[in-house]
Amino acid sequence: MTATPDITSLWARTTRVRITGTTGGPELLHLVHDPAELRELSGLLAIDPTADAFCCMCWGDLRFDLSDARGRHVERLTLHLGKVSSDLEYGQDGQFPLVHSEGLRNWLSARGLCQPVGPM
């Protein structure tokens, strides 16, 4: 089992997030640099640390490129949106289920980045 990644430490260094499509998708969909919006996004991208990491073979749906105040790359997170739940790919550690999947989908939908959550 892979050790659970410490995503919290990434957000402490992050001052900007570029949200893009995955391979073949749009280059820039949304830019987050407001501190309050960054805090909100970091909470919505929280993973379940008790889950085992896994890996699927798709490209994912959205990429979150985190950078610091000098514009240096911090990390790339890849979101895989599912109908019931979603997960986040974190570097080489694999994919982990999101704690706030529905909240993240609503946040993305409000910015025109995905379809709103419908009835299950």
Side-chain angles (χ1 to χ4, degrees):
M1 181 176 148
T2 305
T4 302
D6 182 14
I7 291 181
T8 305
S9 68
L10 297 177
W11 290 104
R13 301 188 329 253
T14 299
T15 60
R16 184 178 77 172
V17 177
R18 289 175 44 92
I19 303 173
T20 63
T22 55
T23 302
E27 180 59 29
L28 176 64
L29 299 172
H30 190 71
L31 181 64
V32 180
H33 52 81
D34 174 71
E37 193 175 19
L38 283 168
R39 277 191 303 278
E40 181 181 18
L41 181 59
S42 70
L44 292 171
L45 289 173
I47 60 168
D48 178 356
T50 64
D52 288 332
F54 62 96
C55 184
C56 75
M57 300 305 289
C58 77
W59 292 103
D61 297 294
L62 293 172
R63 288 195 178 125
F64 297 81
D65 289 313
L66 286 58
S67 57
D68 67 13
R70 293 186 174 183
R72 294 178 298 206
H73 174 77
V74 173
E75 185 62 66
R76 170 175 278 173
L77 307 173
T78 303
L79 178 65
H80 297 257
L81 290 168
K83 291 185 185 214
V84 176
S85 65
S86 299
D87 55 84
L88 192 67
E89 183 178 335
Y90 170 75
Q92 301 297 315
D93 292 317
Q95 293 168 229
F96 294 86
L98 289 171
V99 175
H100 307 291
S101 183
E102 184 176 339
L104 178 61
R105 188 179 286 270
N106 290 333
W107 187 92
L108 293 168
S109 176
R111 288 153 181 82
L113 301 174
C114 79
Q115 296 298 317
V117 175
M120 300 285 175

